[in-house]
Amino acid sequence: MNIENYISGAVRQAVETLYGELGGEPLQIQKTRREFEGDYTLVTFPLLRRSRKSPEATATEIGEYMQAHVPQIASFNVIKGFLNLTLDSSFWGERFAEIAADAHYGEAPQTGRTIMIEYSSPNTNKPLHLGHIRNNLLGYSVAQILKANGHTVIKANLVNDRGIHICKSMLAWKLYGNGETPASSGMKGDHLVGKYYVEFDKHYKAQIKELVAGGMSEEEAKKQAPIMLQAQEMLRKWEAKDPEVYTLWETMNGWVYEGFDVTYKALGVDFDKVYYESQTYLLGKSLVEEGLRKGVFYRREDNSVWIDLRNDGLDEKLLLRGDGTSVYMTQDLGTAYRRFEDNRLDDMIYVVGNEQNYHFQVLKLVLKKLGYAEWSDHITHLSYGMVELPEGKMKSREGTVVDADDLIADMVRTAREMSAELGKLDGATEEEAEAVSTMVGLGALKYFILKVDPKKTMLFDPRESIDFNGNTGPFIQYTHARICSVLRKAAEAGIDFTGAVSASYLPEEIALVKQLTEYPATVKAAGENFAPSIIGAYVYELAKSFNGYYHDHSILREEDAEVRKLRLRLAQQVARVIRLGMKLLGIDVPERM
């Protein structure tokens, strides 16, 4: 049952019986605020012109009618013009039975819409870092949430496998690598390539310094540094399919992909489709040529191609360099075209940091001007804030990033240390201890990042994230494990808690049932707002409520068999909904801890 629709229908019938037809006029009904008694509240002020009575009298009249004619209304109270309605325990008992019987609880019917969500989008010149972790976790979780909302979801990765930044790593390896490989060095492939990206920057800065010392301006030195000119020449050769450059590019990218796969597996994220910029930039170039023919773009004296968006409140945007090489916008045009053509998408969501807000404004506008408004109007940029550390911002070219692989390993190690200190691994085998530590470490990392509104810049504190108290992943995981322990002991004792429950509900039990009924609406809201943080907040509040209830009420030691059955079934469903919610965040929950 949709409770909001039921209440709305019952209130409408009461109001129309008392004051006449409402027509299409909406009623103002909301959940009762926590500080007041009641479940749902009707705002009576819009009805006063019909009732011709005071707000209090109108609310009282409606409340008395509903209590007399709607069996599920246990009581009501009036505060000024607000009518607070309380539903009886049998109503909530029926809702609880519905939840327990629904094998697909929280999943919406199929909508028929196909949505592609792009996340990760790494460059093949460096390993994944903490910023990529937020991107991957956010993209994967939003994909899971959209699936639960009934959409067909395609998880996509666009690999930035070409361009000047890739050539920087390639050139530095060629100049200074002495044939080093992942096999010869023992380094993970993406780490090895990233090492040479940092190496390029070191030599580039040294050359700039030398040129400036010789009397050249810093701006000119950045352009004329020999190593930068070599990298630009390498990019031109790559676009011309020079065999030597192309072979080196394939080899080094191969190292990186093997490394990425290890990190993705550790993070628990995956993709349905992988696109490569090297396969879409030419299509982007053809769209630029099409734009030139249509007069949408123009060519400057240096042969570069631009679009003038000043009349749209933006500025002029480069689409093709003077030497014919493409820029990010070029390949993004080609990739967008291919995706909509190949997949017949209803919506396309890009999970990209907020420093690219302007880029996506331009992408949508350029597509529209090229005549692809039916696509551009269905592009959403899921913009998220950066992740910062207590020490400040990260810079990959300077080698000051927090590496994703190192962070994952540190989280698992810290989880093991803290779990052991608290005695949560007592009696566990080495295999069990490692599995729980991995689950808790990754759960802590994922929850700490996903509980924050995506739009906000966040400060990541690894040790704080693994706290077993407070709003953390381990607290929620421990609550789930605690419930599983209770259910296991009940099974071992031969306690049967299946079938109908005849015991009456305590107010605290009704409160838990009410929280459980809110799960589908929570999933819906998270999908509408692309916000895993909404799921995170819900699951935390549910776990916190259950812990309070468990502290105050015995379950296994309860002597009344029917009351014990009710409490076991309630615990079972709380664990189930915690499990479902955490799964939408990409987080596993242990049964033992």
Side-chain angles (χ1 to χ4, degrees):
M1 174 193 285
N2 185 304
I3 301 173
E4 283 78 5
N5 289 348
Y6 170 77
I7 294 295
S8 180
V11 172
R12 180 172 291 274
Q13 186 177 7
V15 170
E16 290 186 340
T17 301
L18 291 168
Y19 309 126
E21 292 289 324
L22 285 171
E25 186 179 332
L27 293 166
Q28 292 186 28
I29 300 172
Q30 59 208 25
K31 287 175 183 170
T32 304
R33 286 161 56 181
R34 286 186 178 182
E35 59 266 36
F36 299 113
E37 181 188 343
D39 295 319
Y40 288 88
T41 298
L42 170 68
V43 182
T44 62
F45 297 106
L47 301 171
L48 301 186
R49 59 188 179 83
R50 293 174 178 276
S51 70
R52 300 186 182 278
K53 295 177 182 176
S54 70
E56 291 84 353
T58 302
T60 301
E61 190 169 42
I62 297 170
E64 288 175 344
Y65 179 90
M66 292 194 71
Q67 192 169 18
H69 294 87
V70 183
Q72 291 84 356
I73 301 296
S75 63
F76 73 92
N77 66 83
V78 175
I79 299 176
K80 297 183 179 178
F82 299 91
L83 169 62
N84 300 321
L85 300 165
T86 300
L87 293 151
D88 68 10
S89 62
S90 65
F91 175 88
W92 294 112
E94 289 168 8
R95 302 294 75 74
F96 181 62
E98 288 174 354
I99 293 168
D102 188 348
H104 300 283
Y105 190 58
E107 295 178 24
Q110 290 298 306
T111 63
R113 296 187 70 78
T114 298
I115 301 174
M116 179 174 282
I117 179 163
E118 176 202 294
Y119 56 95
S120 197
S121 307
N123 294 330
T124 57
N125 62 323
K126 55 191 176 186
L128 303 178
H129 56 60
L130 178 55
H132 290 114
I133 286 180
R134 188 177 198 187
N135 181 298
N136 278 278
L137 298 183
L138 180 59
Y140 181 83
S141 180
V142 170
Q144 301 309 104
I145 291 166
L146 291 175
K147 281 183 192 174
N149 277 282
H151 306 303
T152 297
V153 178
I154 302 170
K155 294 172 289 184
N157 187 1
L158 172 65
V159 181
N160 302 304
D161 66 337
R162 59 160 302 283
I164 190 67
H165 50 297
I166 311 300
C167 289
K168 289 176 181 179
S169 293
M170 289 164 57
L171 179 62
W173 181 87
K174 188 176 178 183
L175 293 174
Y176 315 112
N178 296 314
E180 186 177 27
T181 68
S184 70
S185 65
M187 285 182 76
K188 201 160 159 275
D190 50 339
H191 289 242
L192 180 65
V193 173
K195 168 185 166 182
Y196 287 99
Y197 185 58
V198 174
E199 189 72 17
F200 177 94
D201 193 61
K202 185 176 78 176
H203 288 275
Y204 179 45
K205 283 179 176 174
Q207 289 181 5
I208 292 170
K209 189 176 181 181
E210 190 178 330
L211 291 171
V212 169
M216 192 179 286
S217 71
E218 186 174 350
E219 188 177 340
E220 189 61 25
K222 286 179 178 177
K223 294 177 184 175
Q224 297 302 324
I227 198 167
M228 179 59 78
L229 295 175
Q230 285 177 277
Q232 290 168 347
E233 176 59 22
M234 182 175 267
L235 178 59
R236 282 189 287 273
K237 285 184 174 180
W238 181 89
E239 293 210 1
K241 295 287 194 297
D242 177 90
E244 183 186 344
V245 171
Y246 213 78
T247 299
L248 176 60
W249 171 76
E250 288 179 323
T251 298
M252 292 182 72
N253 274 355
W255 296 343
V256 173
Y257 298 145
E258 287 179 7
F260 283 171
D261 285 346
V262 172
T263 310
Y264 289 140
K265 187 176 180 181
L267 272 179
V269 302
D270 58 12
F271 309 94
D272 302 308
K273 292 200 173 187
V274 179
Y275 293 85
Y276 299 91
E277 282 193 4
S278 58
Q279 296 171 0
T280 60
Y281 83 101
L282 291 175
L283 178 55
K285 280 186 170 185
S286 70
L287 290 172
V288 172
E289 292 299 327
E290 179 189 322
L292 280 168
R293 289 193 299 274
K294 290 181 176 178
V296 175
F297 307 144
Y298 71 94
R299 197 182 291 278
R300 288 187 178 177
E301 288 182 6
D302 66 354
N303 206 40
S304 59
V305 179
W306 296 71
I307 185 170
D308 187 349
L309 299 172
R310 287 175 293 185
N311 289 339
D312 298 284
L314 304 177
D315 59 12
E316 293 181 287
K317 182 70 179 176
L318 174 69
L319 295 165
L320 213 58
R321 296 189 187 97
D323 62 3
T325 56
S326 60
V327 293
Y328 275 123
M329 187 59 68
T330 323
Q331 50 253 22
D332 274 353
L333 289 171
T335 307
Y337 182 96
R338 174 162 289 171
R339 285 170 171 169
F340 278 95
E341 278 287 293
D342 291 354
N343 302 286
R344 302 298 174 191
L345 302 177
D346 293 295
D347 293 286
M348 174 72 222
I349 301 166
Y350 292 86
V351 183
V352 181
N354 57 14
E355 77 277 10
Q356 296 294 330
N357 287 353
Y358 180 76
H359 176 87
F360 284 97
Q361 271 184 283
V362 173
L363 175 64
K364 292 174 72 168
L365 194 52
V366 171
L367 282 169
K368 189 171 285 189
K369 288 181 182 292
L370 283 172
Y372 303 113
E374 75 275 17
W375 296 347
S376 62
D377 289 343
H378 291 276
I379 285 176
T380 299
H381 173 207
L382 175 44
S383 172
Y384 63 90
M386 295 295 98
V387 184
E388 295 180 1
L389 295 159
E391 301 82 42
K393 292 185 178 179
M394 304 178 292
K395 295 179 182 176
S396 55
R397 68 174 63 89
E398 294 176 10
T400 60
V401 301
V402 175
D403 177 78
D405 297 312
D406 291 343
L407 179 59
I408 291 167
D410 285 345
M411 293 296 292
V412 173
R413 185 165 54 251
T414 305
R416 179 149 190 173
E417 289 169 3
M418 293 181 72
S419 298
E421 285 171 20
L422 295 168
K424 297 189 185 297
L425 299 177
D426 293 351
T429 64
E430 173 59 29
E431 190 178 354
E432 287 171 340
E434 188 59 30
V436 169
S437 300
T438 300
M439 206 179 287
V440 172
L442 282 169
L445 171 65
K446 292 179 180 185
Y447 186 81
F448 197 88
I449 285 176
L450 292 174
K451 74 176 182 179
V452 179
D453 184 298
K455 299 180 187 66
K456 294 180 179 176
T457 295
M458 67 170 292
L459 189 71
F460 180 70
D461 185 334
R463 197 154 184 91
E464 182 187 332
S465 73
I466 299 184
D467 194 337
F468 280 86
N469 296 301
N471 189 6
T472 66
F475 169 75
I476 296 167
Q477 289 174 315
Y478 182 59
T479 302
H480 180 269
R482 169 183 267 180
I483 296 173
C484 288
S485 175
V486 171
L487 298 176
R488 217 166 28 247
K489 287 175 182 174
E492 289 165 2
I495 299 171
D496 179 16
F497 54 94
T498 58
V501 176
S502 60
S504 58
Y505 287 74
L506 294 173
E508 302 94 306
E509 290 159 351
I510 289 176
L512 277 172
V513 172
K514 284 167 67 175
Q515 275 187 285
L516 292 174
T517 65
E518 291 166 6
Y519 179 64
T522 302
V523 175
K524 185 172 185 284
E528 289 170 346
N529 294 281
F530 308 130
S533 55
I534 292 174
I535 301 285
Y538 168 84
V539 176
Y540 168 63
E541 289 298 328
L542 179 61
K544 189 168 72 168
S545 296
F546 181 83
N547 273 293
Y549 170 74
Y550 183 73
H551 178 270
D552 295 338
H553 300 284
S554 175
I555 296 180
L556 291 177
R557 291 195 184 95
E558 172 56 49
E559 293 180 1
D560 186 313
E562 283 301 307
V563 172
R564 188 174 60 220
K565 180 194 283 189
L566 166 62
R567 292 178 181 177
L568 284 166
R569 294 201 71 188
L570 189 54
Q572 184 183 49
Q573 292 307 314
V574 168
R576 176 192 176 206
V577 172
I578 286 175
R579 195 161 54 246
L580 290 171
M582 292 293 265
K583 186 178 179 184
L584 294 183
L585 301 180
I587 300 173
D588 293 324
V589 285
E591 294 191 2
R592 297 175 187 270
M593 196 167 164

